[in-house]
Amino acid sequence: MENKKIPLLQIKNITKVYNIGENKLDILKGINLTVEEGEFVAIMGPSGSGKSTLMHILGLLDRPTDGVYEIYGQNVLKFNDSQTAFLRSKIIGFVFQQYNLLNKMTAADNVALPLVYSGGKNRKERAEKLLGEVDLSNRTEHKPTQLSGGQQQRVAIARALVNDPKIIFADEPTGNLSSKQSNEIMQILTDLNKKGISIILVTHEPDIAKWADRLITIKDGQVIGDTRQKPSKQVKSNPIEIKKVAAHLSFAEFAENFFSAIRAIISNKTRSLLTMLGIIIGVASIISMLALGSGAQKSLEKQITSMGTNLLYLMPGRISLGGVSGSVTRRIYLKDVDALAENTELIKNIDPNVSGSVQVVYGNKNTNTSITGATPAYQYMQNSVPQYGRFFTKTENENLAKVCLVGTTVVKNLFGNENPVGKYIKINRKKFRVIGILPVKGAQGYRDGDDMVIVPLNTAMKRLLGTQYVSSVAVEVQDGKMSETETYLLQTMLERNKLTAEHADAFRIRNMSDMIQMLTSTTQTMTMLLGAVAGISLIVGGIGIMNIMLVSVSERTREIGLRKAIGATGIAILLQFLIESSVLSLLGGISGVTLGVIISLVVSKFAGWAVFVSSFSIILSVGFSAFVGIVFGLWPAKKASELSPIEALRHD
Ligand code: ADP
Ligand code: MG
């Protein structure tokens, strides 16, 4: 009797049942087998007897229906995903009849791949050394398709050895090879066995089985023979402690995943581009919409604050009289303005205005424009000191002088390059002398702020518009007297009209922050609406990514199976595909930002609209596209990570 040492592996009563529709197929019918460290075992049996099924269970690529499987005395069928991955990575090397190399990688990268998951160092050197040992040192940079069958199988053996396994499972490793190549492979396996690695080999050729020390025969899912052909090497048992594979993502693994994602994207250029298109359009529209929206808002704010923050506007409102009589408007007359102006403690300056539209003629040119009647205070209160010429005086206003100031748009329309100051124009067929040009205001909301003419208030009321009352009164308030003045204005106007507080609607008072709020709330609503549309296109883009990830997962299911077979955990696979979808959507996001910025610049150049690309909108849209990639990549990635290695490897 031998001394009691722990066997390398032991299976007890292993069964495997496949359910095909209604039928139950008993493929393995209770297999018992013990393999000591250092043994070289050949399993023979007719085709269909269950040899591969048994090997997949032993290699932890598949699970038995029932039974016990112990490695170094530990029940490995109870292990979790991470512990099983450790066994596949560090203890087991699997050699397939079909080689199962990844065609997009070189021989050296294929050999080094298990080291990525086991965290092994010096991957390149180690892969080259092992390729040297299988006599392929001059083929390290070849892709699998550039190698013969025998060479591919030798690469696969080198890959199985890269983590110094305790045991190699080889399922008909010479099945696709010529007899010369077969002998080379068998010689390599024999040499490995001499170094102490246990070998279990499946074959249906007696010539191959002769290489082994022990021959096990299987028929119809049962062991029918177990003979020793020669004594096995005596290897001192040296059990490895079975640990978990590290749960964190190593840098090597991240880099591997990242570059395999880039490789996948590059090898499907058109498809990747079409997939990214949704994200690109979505991000580009978000960026440009927000740029236009915040540009409009910023220019409005600038204009309004440039007018001064201590201005109030008094305007007639409407009071309801109830019933069928509807509502009436209380007018503001010049004598009201004079009365209001008396309170100099509150009021610094006051400027009553009338406005209307007129036809203006110069020579044979004419244009329709808006006219404002104002007092000299207007130029200071509205930042309108003429850039050329002068404003009218108090006396000119009192004398109903026919003088006017013109905005630059009017100048352009009537005078072209001519200097208008000193010239006479006809406003509603009355002759006015141009005395100044108003400073440029630019667009004000949807209105051209330079398409205007200003004349003295009294001239406008009596000579042009024929009105007794003013349309609004601008009031410049003494510092810190804002709310006091608002009350004063309303109170005085109500009193003068013999109205009570319940008719406070008879007059409206607007301050600057009201105006800003009014204007910004319209631009904000607009921006949000456009943003929502852009957001929807991002979601559509995300669905495109999910779709392509599903395709990618299904195309690469065999690759997933192989990666798991050589020691990748489910998490590692999940991360691989998540990284791929994030790279895809991030690339789309970055291209989208670039496109969006270009669109904004082009629009601002040709349409003359103010744009402002905020870092907030860039972070928002890139962040959102990465988020879309992760969310929409998650489901396909999870599907991939949950496949059993052998199911995945059988996929076509
Ligand atoms: P071999 O000894 O030739 O390697 P296998 O282990 O591959 O045999 O297959 C044994 C039997 O199990 C065969 O009859 C095969 O049809 C059946 N079988 C293998 N895989 C499956 C499967 N996934 N589903 C159903 N039957 C299967
Ligand atoms: Mg088989």
Side-chain angles (χ1 to χ4, degrees):
M1 275 296 285
E2 263 198 347
N3 58 331
K4 279 232 167 156
K5 62 178 182 182
I6 308 172
L8 171 61
L9 57 88
Q10 185 163 38
I11 54 174
K12 297 170 192 160
N13 236 334
I14 287 285
T15 62
K16 182 74 181 177
V17 180
Y18 283 116
N19 294 308
I20 305 279
E22 301 278 279
N23 298 333
K24 285 193 168 190
L25 287 178
D26 286 311
I27 304 304
L28 298 181
K29 299 168 183 163
I31 303 232
N32 294 290
L33 187 65
T34 304
V35 176
E36 304 291 343
E37 219 158 326
E39 283 196 290
F40 186 169
V41 182
I43 299 177
M44 277 196 80
S47 177
S49 54
K51 304 182 298 291
S52 295
T53 307
L54 177 62
M55 286 292 264
H56 295 150
I57 290 170
L58 290 173
L60 294 171
L61 306 178
D62 201 1
R63 293 182 69 84
T65 306
D66 206 0
V68 176
Y69 181 10
E70 288 174 355
I71 294 180
Y72 291 127
Q74 298 190 52
N75 186 352
V76 295
L77 296 178
K78 294 239 162 75
F79 280 6
N80 64 23
D81 179 64
S82 156
Q83 289 167 312
T84 311
F86 178 86
L87 290 168
R88 291 184 195 129
S89 163
K90 291 284 205 183
I91 298 201
I92 294 168
F94 209 100
V95 178
F96 302 88
Q97 182 177 351
Q98 308 295 341
Y99 330 130
N100 282 327
L101 301 175
L102 296 185
N103 284 329
K104 281 175 192 149
M105 292 186 181
T106 62
D109 285 342
N110 266 291
V111 173
L113 192 59
L115 291 170
V116 167
Y117 297 113
S118 66
K121 300 270 167 349
N122 304 323
R123 288 183 281 149
K124 189 93 190 157
E125 292 76 49
R126 196 141 167 67
E128 276 166 8
K129 181 168 167 280
L130 282 165
L131 282 170
E133 285 173 20
V134 295
D135 214 10
L136 284 176
S137 21
N138 53 351
R139 294 284 188 277
T140 55
E141 295 309 306
H142 282 55
K143 299 267 174 76
T145 47
Q146 300 162 328
L147 296 171
S148 75
Q151 288 169 331
Q152 289 190 56
Q153 194 60 296
R154 280 186 271 156
V155 174
I157 291 175
R159 179 180 64 193
L161 291 173
V162 78
N163 274 318
D164 292 323
K166 288 284 179 178
I167 182 161
I168 288 196
F169 296 102
D171 187 359
E172 310 219 25
T174 60
N176 292 357
L177 304 178
S178 70
S179 60
K180 180 173 169 285
Q181 288 176 322
S182 298
N183 284 339
E184 281 169 17
I185 298 289
M186 290 316 295
Q187 191 56 56
I188 291 171
L189 291 177
T190 307
D191 292 345
L192 288 172
N193 181 240
K194 280 193 188 127
K195 289 182 193 159
I197 299 179
S198 312
I199 311 264
I200 299 185
L201 170 98
V202 161
T203 182
H204 58 262
E205 294 169 67
D207 279 355
I208 298 292
K210 265 192 277 179
W211 291 75
D213 309 332
R214 180 179 167 195
L215 178 65
I216 291 173
T217 325
I218 292 194
K219 200 181 168 198
D220 287 337
Q222 276 170 318
V223 176
I224 56 164
D226 188 346
T227 53
R228 187 155 292 282
Q229 312 190 123
K230 37 189 134 139
S232 286
K233 281 102 237 153
Q234 287 303 308
V235 177
K236 200 164 158 275
S237 177
N238 184 20
I240 291 185
E241 188 199 347
I242 300 168
K243 293 184 288 196
K244 288 184 186 180
V245 173
H248 70 269
L249 180 67
S250 70
F251 179 73
E253 203 176 321
F254 178 82
E256 214 291 311
N257 287 338
F258 183 78
F259 288 114
S260 99
I262 299 277
R263 267 199 304 273
I265 290 168
I266 289 174
S267 64
N268 296 302
K269 281 187 209 68
T270 319
R271 190 172 86 182
S272 308
L273 189 72
L274 288 175
T275 306
M276 283 190 290
L277 209 57
I279 296 280
I280 294 178
I281 293 173
V283 169
S285 34
I286 285 197
I287 292 277
S288 42
M289 292 309 157
L290 290 182
L292 287 174
S294 51
Q297 190 165 328
K298 274 206 185 310
S299 77
L300 274 173
E301 273 168 21
K302 212 171 94 192
Q303 265 160 15
I304 291 170
T305 46
S306 80
M307 287 173 175
T309 46
N310 54 349
L311 283 189
L312 284 180
Y313 289 89
L314 170 67
M315 283 163 283
R318 290 195 150 264
I319 44 171
S320 163
L321 298 177
V324 285
S325 36
S327 57
V328 296
T329 306
R330 291 296 159 122
R331 306 295 183 189
I332 306 170
Y333 298 94
L334 282 178
K335 55 183 196 305
D336 296 324
V337 177
D338 292 338
L340 289 172
E342 273 167 27
N343 190 339
T344 49
E345 243 171 66
L346 296 178
I347 296 174
K348 203 188 252 174
N349 254 318
I350 197 156
D351 174 40
N353 296 133
V354 290
S355 59
S357 50
V358 289
Q359 198 194 37
V360 194
V361 181
Y362 176 70
N364 56 2
K365 289 189 186 144
N366 70 80
T367 178
N368 288 308
T369 184
S370 74
I371 189 162
T372 300
T375 64
Y378 180 96
Q379 58 181 320
Y380 309 112
M381 289 167 68
Q382 309 290 344
N383 267 328
S384 291
V385 176
Q387 57 175 26
Y388 195 79
R390 64 171 180 88
F391 216 82
F392 44 79
T393 62
K394 202 165 168 247
T395 327
E396 281 171 322
N397 184 27
E398 279 158 8
N399 296 342
L400 310 185
K402 291 193 281 180
V403 293
C404 68
L405 292 102
V406 286
T408 49
T409 303
V410 177
V411 174
K412 201 173 69 198
N413 289 342
L414 293 185
F415 296 93
N417 290 328
E418 224 178 302
N419 178 7
V421 175
K423 304 280 167 16
Y424 287 87
I425 59 174
K426 281 192 173 151
I427 304 178
N428 283 358
R429 281 186 246 139
K430 296 193 173 86
K431 224 166 138 190
F432 278 74
R433 185 159 57 91
V434 178
I435 57 170
I437 300 175
L438 294 165
V440 178
K441 294 274 174 186
Q444 292 182 335
Y446 298 106
R447 192 174 83 75
D448 179 2
D450 300 312
D451 190 6
M452 71 180 308
V453 173
I454 296 183
V455 298
L457 177 70
N458 290 326
T459 316
M461 289 173 80
K462 303 212 167 94
R463 291 189 193 268
L464 289 174
L465 303 173
T467 165
Q468 305 291 309
Y469 44 83
V470 300
S471 36
S472 68
V473 183
V475 178
E476 189 180 348
V477 180
Q478 300 282 11
D479 290 341
K481 296 282 168 68
M482 215 57 177
S483 59
E484 225 177 299
T485 311
E486 282 186 37
T487 324
Y488 164 73
L489 292 176
L490 185 61
Q491 211 52 52
T492 315
M493 289 310 293
L494 289 179
E495 271 166 30
R496 291 178 65 83
N497 283 276
K498 304 197 167 49
L499 293 170
T500 54
E502 71 176 302
H503 289 123
D505 286 347
F507 299 96
R508 288 179 294 155
I509 292 169
R510 294 259 180 277
N511 59 34
M512 274 303 150
S513 56
D514 290 340
M515 308 272 284
I516 291 175
Q517 241 168 36
M518 238 165 58
L519 288 167
T520 55
S521 78
T522 22
T523 54
Q524 261 165 7
T525 316
M526 207 61 189
T527 311
M528 267 160 66
L529 211 73
L530 295 169
V533 171
I536 288 170
S537 71
L538 258 192
I539 290 176
V540 173
I543 292 171
I545 288 204
M546 177 157 78
N547 186 29
I548 223 65
M549 289 313 294
L550 279 170
V551 172
S552 174
V553 165
S554 123
E555 267 182 2
R556 288 157 64 194
T557 305
R558 287 175 62 88
E559 174 187 332
I560 293 168
L562 187 269
R563 284 176 188 266
K564 290 191 89 167
I566 60 173
T569 58
I571 302 271
I573 300 290
L574 186 76
L575 284 172
Q576 180 192 343
F577 283 91
L578 271 188
I579 287 172
E580 186 172 324
S581 63
S582 319
V583 166
L584 205 58
S585 58
L586 261 180
L587 268 179
I590 291 166
S591 326
V593 167
T594 318
L595 186 67
V597 169
I598 292 173
I599 291 176
S600 314
L601 293 179
V602 168
V603 164
S604 90
K605 183 140 178 64
F606 289 100
W609 296 353
V611 296
F612 177 73
V613 179
S614 64
S615 48
F616 166 74
S617 69
I618 292 180
I619 292 168
L620 178 85
S621 49
V622 173
F624 193 57
S625 57
F627 176 73
V628 161
I630 288 172
V631 166
F632 287 95
L634 199 63
W635 184 50
K638 194 162 163 9
K639 260 186 66 168
S641 74
E642 283 168 355
L643 290 172
S644 100
I646 201 65
E647 269 175 72
L649 278 168
R650 279 202 201 107
H651 195 273
D652 55 14

